[in-house]
Amino acid sequence: MERRILHIDMDAFYAQIEQRDNPRLKGKPVIVGGKSSSRGVVATASYEARKFGVHSAMPVNRAHQLCPDGYYVRPRFDVYRAESEKIMAIFRSYTEHVQPVAFDEAYLDITHLVRRDMPASQIAAFIKRDILEATCLTCSAGVSYNKFLAKLSSGMNKPDGLTVIHHGNVHDLLMSLPIGAFPGVGQVTEEKMKQDGIHNGQDLFKLSENELIKKFGKRGPRLYQYARGIDHSVVKSERIRKSIGKETTFEVDKNDDEEILAIIRQLSQQVSDKLSRYDLSGDVITVKMKEFDFRATSKQLKLPYRISDATDIYNVCYDLYTSLKNPDRPIRLVGVSVGNLEERQFMNMTIYDFI
Ligand code: TTP
Ligand code: MG
């Protein structure tokens, strides 16, 4: 079944909290950041302040020039953190498949909650309602069939938006999307692309996968997919996986090294595919076997660096297998795993603190 993914992002998060807690600030240009005398930068600006051109990461001095009558407020990180926890708890009351990406932002996989009489957009509306009731804050929700499109849609109708990208509108949307709005296209790449005549999704769409690989290397295949609205990455909930492994049990016991190594190569590829879907890499590689009489053996190597590439995994497994395999004892099962995985730490991250 096609997935249903939500991306929810609070509107002008810190500034909205300040406006909520101080009614004098309602409807006013509010800038959360350091004092103008310090070398602080703007953490965020209310939508009223954004009209003056003020935005996150701008030096506060510059904000003062653009918006001299703005209300400049020192951040209260404890309050923001407490609101964030309430919001994340609401997400988790719907599904365990929650991937926070910042204090005010998360992906939810709600595929299993959707029914004929309960479309994903309705669930998104319920979550927006719950957040508003619990915190008096608005957010914007994006609904689609993958993470890339869900994130894109949540940003389309801020503030208090609820936007759905579906198969009927995805193509037009992507074709007119400025190239800088595609994930992974930072300022440097954006400039390079524009010099190459790639200004929007349509220009990207015209390029073949090979041309994109030639121009942008490893990022080529992803760009090719994004231009087509494809994104297979999964919503990673915080339960950190200890290892990712694949194994095969043979129909007939095997003793031929070449044959077994070919299988190990396939398993390495499968493990690598899964690692990259979760954006993980690990430094403990294990090969395990079960011999014909069910005796289990395994051998592990801890590398000084993390790997996720199929060939890298296979090369380590090759050595492990050769030192582990007893030529006189056929095996009935072989498995490959990569452990001690590293994943982005979501909830423990430090809040943006430029001040
Ligand atoms: P964002 O979601 O990027 O911004 P926002 O919620 O303020 O506004 P929007 O409606 O466009 O989503 O970031 C969330 C909070 O993180 C933001 O309120 C303040 C903080 N932050 C910083 O401190 N510095 C930064 O550079 C950014 C981008 C955010
Ligand atoms: Mg936000």
Side-chain angles (χ1 to χ4, degrees), residues 95-113:
T95 174
E96 57 168 333
H97 304 294
V98 177
Q99 177 183 352
V101 277
F103 271 84
D104 78 323
E105 184 185 336
Y107 292 99
L108 284 72
D109 189 329
I110 55 160
T111 310
H112 57 296
L113 298 178

Side-chain angles (χ1 to χ4, degrees), residues 7-14 44 47 50 102-105 138-140 158:
H7 179 261
I8 298 189
D9 186 333
M10 301 303 294
D11 303 319
F13 188 45
Y14 298 177
T44 196
Y47 282 76
R50 289 182 200 192
F103 271 84
D104 78 323
E105 184 185 336
T138 65
C139 63
S140 294
K158 267 180 168 290

